[in-house]
Amino acid sequence: MTETETGGDDRPLLAVRLDDLFRTVRPKGKHWTNAEVAEELKRANPELKVGGVYLSQLRTGKRSNPSPDLLAALARFFGVSVAYFFDDKVAQSVLSEIAAIEALRQSGVRAVAMRAAGMKKENLQAITAIMDQYRQLQGLPPVDDPSGPE
């Protein structure tokens, strides 16, 4: 594991990735505590042995060897592939999607996105160019979006 993969975090990669899910993904539209997630996981799979304290230990790196069943249950709960925990490309893709969702949660961004929905590609390109200019004027970094407006 490199510093780049964890952003300088000294926790195991699994801990960082699990913590990222807890901090950023909102199943059923809410922020979940360790104990609440444990209860939901046990409700869906009564044989699963998990508690809020154990999930906390996994997130901090104090524990690092969850069962495959627990990883599968966590992946299902957060709506990601189990590969998210192990595959850098899958994790990067998931984190990019999460970042996009987080951006939409910002005040005003959702309104812009809703107004752009259904517009012609040419119009979206023009609007994107204008927004890029305003970002530059405000000293914001350019947006890395290889797909461009769709």
Side-chain angles (χ1 to χ4, degrees):
M1 169 176 58
T2 67
E3 185 173 310
T4 305
E5 291 171 319
T6 62
D9 196 321
D10 60 355
R11 293 176 295 169
L13 191 56
L14 174 68
V16 172
R17 288 187 178 164
L18 180 59
D19 193 47
D20 283 344
L21 291 177
F22 268 89
R23 288 185 300 101
T24 58
V25 178
R26 306 272 192 293
K28 299 180 184 175
K30 69 175 239 172
H31 184 80
W32 295 75
T33 66
N34 296 323
E36 290 170 334
V37 171
E39 287 305 311
E40 285 292 313
L41 296 180
K42 287 191 282 191
R43 189 173 327 200
N45 187 355
E47 312 83 52
L48 197 61
K49 296 197 183 330
V50 62
V53 172
Y54 183 63
L55 290 178
S56 175
Q57 291 171 336
L58 287 174
R59 290 175 67 186
T60 60
K62 290 180 182 171
R63 300 287 295 268
S64 60
N65 196 17
S67 71
D69 289 342
L70 177 55
L71 282 181
L74 285 164
R76 273 192 308 276
F77 179 79
F78 286 108
V80 299
S81 164
V82 175
Y84 164 81
F85 295 111
F86 308 104
D87 185 305
D88 292 341
K89 287 182 182 177
V90 171
Q92 189 56 47
S93 173
V94 167
L95 293 175
S96 293
E97 289 176 21
I98 290 170
I101 291 167
E102 282 298 306
L104 284 174
R105 284 191 182 125
Q106 290 181 17
S107 174
V109 175
R110 183 180 305 194
V112 172
M114 290 177 65
R115 284 171 177 79
M119 295 183 86
K120 293 180 181 177
K121 185 175 183 175
E122 304 81 42
N123 293 345
L124 288 176
Q125 288 171 335
I127 291 167
T128 301
I130 292 167
M131 291 177 78
D132 286 343
Q133 289 174 351
Y134 275 100
R135 286 185 64 82
Q136 186 176 12
L137 286 172
Q138 291 183 9
L140 296 171
V143 173
D144 181 25
D145 183 10
S147 65
E150 295 179 5

